[in-house]
Amino acid sequence: MCIRDSAWHLERAEAGSAIGQFLQAHRAHLGHVTPQGAAAAKVDWLGKSARGGFSRAMNEFGMAHRLGEGGLRVDMEEAGLWFRRAISTADEADALFNLGQMYLAGETSPEDRSDPVAMREAAAVALFRRAADRGSGLAMHNLGVAYYRGVGGVEKDLEAAVAWFEKSGSADDMWIVSSIFREVGRQSEAQTWLLK
């Protein structure tokens, strides 16, 4: 069954199906002797799928450019371009998060790189909010950090920070909430969060 499924996906990918190409990208390690060959094949299929209009592939192709994967050179402008395409195509949560991360790191296109830090942070927080609304736990975490620190155009608000960390639901974020409550002297609540 798996071999037949793989053959079907390859057939669909070679026929130009953006979803088939995306699936083939995630099967690129099959049949390659070296990790480099698999990475190059994955990026090749991701590029085809991204150019075919599949937003998840656009996001992953953007990450490949950001990290220089699969034989690509690190190219922040190209990464930002693909994240923006994924956002404009389908408001892709991971692309919103990744573009927000680029804003925070100052890795955006040259016209954005000159923005003051506060403007980049505010733009990042706006993207994280959109990504969180689409279910991104990583974006929820980053919003919790923004409210905890009072950066990115939001006032410091420990209750809002706790709410975002809770929505994220990760064990690390539960520990952060416990630490916040310990910091403000609410020991019993801190203990409760450690047990969640």
Side-chain angles (χ1 to χ4, degrees):
M1 182 89 166
C2 289
I3 293 171
R4 190 172 33 203
D5 290 346
S6 293
W8 183 86
H9 288 142
L10 178 58
E11 180 182 307
R12 299 301 309 143
E14 288 174 341
S17 164
I19 294 173
Q21 292 164 342
F22 180 78
L23 294 171
Q24 193 59 33
H26 287 276
R27 288 176 174 73
H29 65 284
L30 301 174
H32 287 278
V33 178
T34 66
Q36 297 84 359
K42 179 178 183 177
V43 167
D44 182 53
W45 283 114
L46 281 175
K48 290 175 182 177
S49 180
R51 286 185 287 280
F54 191 52
S55 64
R56 285 182 59 195
M58 291 174 190
N59 175 64
E60 289 189 27
F61 197 49
M63 280 305 290
H65 282 284
R66 186 176 184 209
L67 302 175
E69 295 176 337
L72 295 175
R73 66 179 176 81
V74 172
D75 186 338
M76 297 305 166
E77 285 187 48
E78 192 72 13
L81 174 106
W82 284 107
F83 293 146
R84 286 180 181 98
R85 285 182 181 168
I87 292 165
S88 68
T89 299
D91 214 30
E92 182 72 35
D94 290 338
L96 288 160
F97 174 80
N98 289 331
L99 187 59
Q101 289 290 93
M102 287 184 73
Y103 272 108
L104 287 181
E107 299 170 343
T108 55
S109 62
E111 66 271 7
D112 297 325
R113 199 171 286 130
S114 64
D115 288 348
V117 172
M119 288 179 69
R120 283 198 334 260
E121 288 177 349
V125 166
L127 289 170
F128 294 149
R129 187 172 311 279
R130 283 174 58 195
D133 289 344
R134 300 208 29 92
S136 170
L138 294 171
M140 292 173 196
H141 167 85
N142 282 8
L143 285 171
V145 171
Y147 278 101
Y148 176 74
R149 292 185 179 162
V151 297
V154 299
E155 296 293 320
K156 184 171 183 162
D157 181 341
L158 295 183
E159 295 303 320
V162 166
W164 281 112
F165 287 132
E166 183 178 18
K167 281 184 182 181
S168 166
S170 77
D172 288 342
D173 286 337
M174 298 305 108
W175 184 86
I176 290 170
V177 169
S178 174
S179 298
I180 290 171
F181 283 131
R182 279 195 313 271
E183 181 181 307
V184 296
R186 293 161 59 179
Q187 301 303 326
S188 64
E189 287 174 275
Q191 186 65 28
T192 300
W193 280 93
L194 283 177
L195 300 175
K196 285 192 175 197

